[in-house]
Amino acid sequence: MDMFMEQTTQSFFSPKNRVAPLGIITLEGAEELAGKIDAHLVRWARESGMEVDSFLLKSNCPRFSSGDAKGIIEQTVRGYDLFFVVDVGNYSQTYPYFGKENHMSPDDHFQNLKRLIQAASGKPHRINVIMPELYGGRQHRRNYRESLDGAFALQELQRMGVQNVLTFDAHDPRVQNAVPLMGFDNLMPSYQVLKRMLRSFPDLIVDRDEFMVISPDEGALDRNMFYASVMEVEMGMFYKRRDYSRVVDGRNPIVAHEYLGSDVKGKDVFVADDIISSGESMLDIAYNVKKRGARRFFAFATFAIFTNGLDSFDKACKEGIVDGVFGTNLTYRTEELKNRPWFYEVDVSKYVSYYISALNHDMAISALIDPHQKITALLEKRREEHRAAQHQQLSF
């Protein structure tokens, strides 16, 4: 545990340090993540001598059969440092609509968030929003006459009194420019995914001769440059060659993925992106690098949602094309996905818990945002284990 973690756990829930009493309001569909966050916070609070069973506050958003809804907070929030936890990508939630079950869209989740903020009636000491998957985040720039949903949503939250927004791996973090006077933190679960990958594959060797990072497109270049730099390995990239003479589903269709970079033959390949939607692009890259002689293919997406189902990844796994797909628990995952042998879940709840506690105690969060030192220590430990194993083999 690094210095930040030690300082944070030592001062958890000290009345003289915290901004205000802590309260967490969970929106429908985010109960699993919020429950894990609450468990960490309660454990730390008890270790510091505080008697508490939960920081979760009761709330709900009931709906009429016409589809109309309202937000209700069932206990006092006056003077609280409130954290609203919302998963705008949870499509499994339903509500009655004229006698039918209607699945909630990101729009529905965002509306419920605004309803519960309204229900707080301006009584909290401070309002914070934990929105791992940023609402409207994929519509990050304007082409022709288009809306800018993510930017406008942030401005709307700011007008409602929200002071801080936490999101993960924003599609384009420059969206925060829309609200320069509001706190906006974009965290990357880089350390968490590398830790999970090294634990899941003990034989993985991270060096320039055995391992390589590849960016799936130019948009993901920065995040993959970070991985390649911190792991001190080579990096390649694909760029999407598009047919600009046609528009399909609002965008120019991809004709082919073209590779730029050094040889991948005999190396394990790691590709990181913010989201796996249909997964077609990721599979195209996997087949491409395997044809080029890559040894194993690992993919990571902060939000692995698989909108077109899992069959194509099942097929790729059986063919030896995909060796592992990593995704966080920051958004909804189906039970089928969780049980797939090729899927490895990355738990980020403790990371969010540290952020909440640090904010609640007015502590610096720079160590959370930049996990470079922790990743370096993690990789050095793996390299020491590998050197020790080699030495033992030579001894025999």
Side-chain angles (χ1 to χ4, degrees):
M1 185 177 292
D2 60 25
M3 185 176 298
F4 169 80
M5 307 304 183
E6 291 176 358
Q7 291 175 348
T8 306
T9 51
Q10 289 171 3
S11 62
F12 272 159
F13 307 107
S14 171
K16 65 178 181 179
N17 292 332
R18 66 180 181 178
V19 170
L22 175 62
I24 300 174
I25 292 183
T26 308
L27 277 86
E28 186 177 4
E31 294 88 353
E32 178 187 354
L33 177 61
K36 290 185 175 182
I37 293 170
D38 184 55
H40 288 301
L41 294 172
V42 168
R43 176 168 55 84
W44 296 333
R46 289 177 176 173
E47 289 174 357
S48 67
M50 184 177 178
E51 294 184 8
V52 60
D53 295 323
S54 177
F55 293 101
L56 300 177
L57 306 181
K58 294 181 179 179
S59 65
N60 65 89
C61 291
R63 287 183 180 267
F64 303 101
S65 58
S66 63
D68 294 327
K70 60 181 177 181
I72 301 173
I73 298 176
E74 301 178 14
Q75 59 193 94
T76 181
V77 294
R78 186 179 296 277
Y80 274 70
D81 192 14
L82 277 189
F83 288 82
F84 291 83
V85 182
V86 56
D87 178 10
V88 299
N90 193 334
Y91 61 90
S92 71
Q93 302 300 306
T94 62
Y95 61 88
Y97 188 60
F98 286 89
K100 298 180 180 179
E101 288 295 310
N102 195 42
H103 283 263
M104 292 181 67
S105 71
D107 296 338
D108 293 313
H109 288 291
F110 188 66
Q111 282 298 118
N112 279 352
L113 171 63
K114 293 191 293 183
R115 289 182 177 112
L116 288 174
I117 292 175
Q118 292 177 62
S121 304
K123 302 300 190 299
H125 174 80
R126 184 172 61 183
I127 296 176
N128 314 278
V129 171
I130 309 293
M131 187 187 294
E133 185 178 358
L134 190 63
Y135 173 76
R138 299 187 73 185
Q139 181 55 19
H140 61 106
R141 61 187 176 190
R142 173 171 284 165
N143 294 313
Y144 310 110
R145 291 174 293 277
E146 296 180 348
S147 60
L148 289 173
D149 299 58
F152 188 80
L154 289 176
Q155 291 178 347
E156 196 169 11
L157 292 178
Q158 185 180 42
R159 288 193 295 269
M160 296 184 73
V162 174
Q163 292 177 259
N164 296 288
V165 170
L166 168 67
T167 192
F168 276 83
D169 205 350
H171 192 68
D172 190 341
R174 290 174 296 183
V175 70
Q176 67 185 290
N177 294 339
V179 284
L181 300 181
M182 184 175 76
F184 182 95
D185 289 304
N186 178 44
L187 302 188
M188 305 290 288
S190 310
Y191 171 74
Q192 286 74 17
V193 64
L194 292 179
K195 184 178 180 180
R196 182 73 166 94
M197 185 169 65
L198 292 177
R199 284 184 175 180
S200 301
F201 294 88
D203 62 331
L204 196 64
I205 301 172
V206 182
D207 62 33
R208 297 177 69 89
D209 297 326
E210 305 282 345
F211 194 85
M212 188 171 179
V213 174
I214 292 180
S215 175
D217 52 40
E218 59 275 17
L221 199 57
D222 286 346
R223 69 170 59 84
N224 284 279
M225 283 178 62
F226 173 81
Y227 284 111
S229 297
V230 77
M231 289 190 281
E232 299 179 351
V233 297
E234 291 190 31
M235 176 181 164
M237 73 164 289
F238 282 86
Y239 72 90
K240 297 174 181 177
R241 184 154 54 86
R242 296 180 180 271
D243 181 359
Y244 288 98
S245 66
R246 298 185 297 133
V247 176
V248 179
D249 295 330
R251 62 178 61 191
N252 302 106
I254 298 171
V255 176
H257 287 88
E258 304 288 352
Y259 177 67
L260 297 172
S262 57
D263 193 6
V264 302
K265 188 174 182 180
K267 295 181 180 181
D268 292 327
V269 171
F270 174 73
V271 177
D273 211 348
D274 60 333
I275 185 170
I276 292 179
S277 185
S278 67
E280 293 178 1
S281 295
M282 193 66 77
L283 286 178
D284 285 346
I285 293 170
Y287 280 101
N288 193 310
V289 298
K290 279 300 180 82
K291 285 182 181 178
R292 295 172 183 271
R295 183 168 54 218
R296 287 183 292 187
F297 179 84
F298 302 105
F300 166 66
T302 307
F303 307 105
I305 58 178
F306 297 96
T307 57
N308 287 2
L310 306 173
D311 292 343
S312 58
F313 276 81
D314 289 337
K315 180 175 179 292
C317 183
K318 289 179 181 178
E319 295 174 352
I321 302 300
V322 173
D323 296 274
V325 177
F326 296 82
T328 71
N329 62 340
L330 292 170
T331 191
Y332 173 70
R333 295 92 53 227
T334 63
E335 290 301 320
E336 291 79 10
L337 175 61
K338 293 179 183 179
N339 294 325
R340 285 299 196 271
W342 45 264
F343 181 72
Y344 299 85
E345 185 167 289
V346 180
D347 186 6
V348 193
S349 61
K350 194 173 186 180
Y351 196 13
V352 180
S353 302
Y354 278 126
Y355 174 88
I356 291 175
S357 181
L359 206 61
N360 185 238
H361 289 78
D362 262 351
M363 296 179 66
I365 61 169
S366 56
L368 281 171
I369 296 173
D370 183 11
H372 186 274
Q373 291 183 349
K374 294 184 69 178
I375 293 176
T376 301
L378 176 69
L379 295 174
E380 184 57 34
K381 181 180 179 182
R382 167 52 63 91
R383 287 163 183 153
E384 287 179 1
E385 292 172 351
H386 177 62
R387 287 192 291 266
Q390 286 183 321
H391 180 72
Q392 188 174 15
Q393 288 177 353
L394 292 173
S395 299
F396 284 109

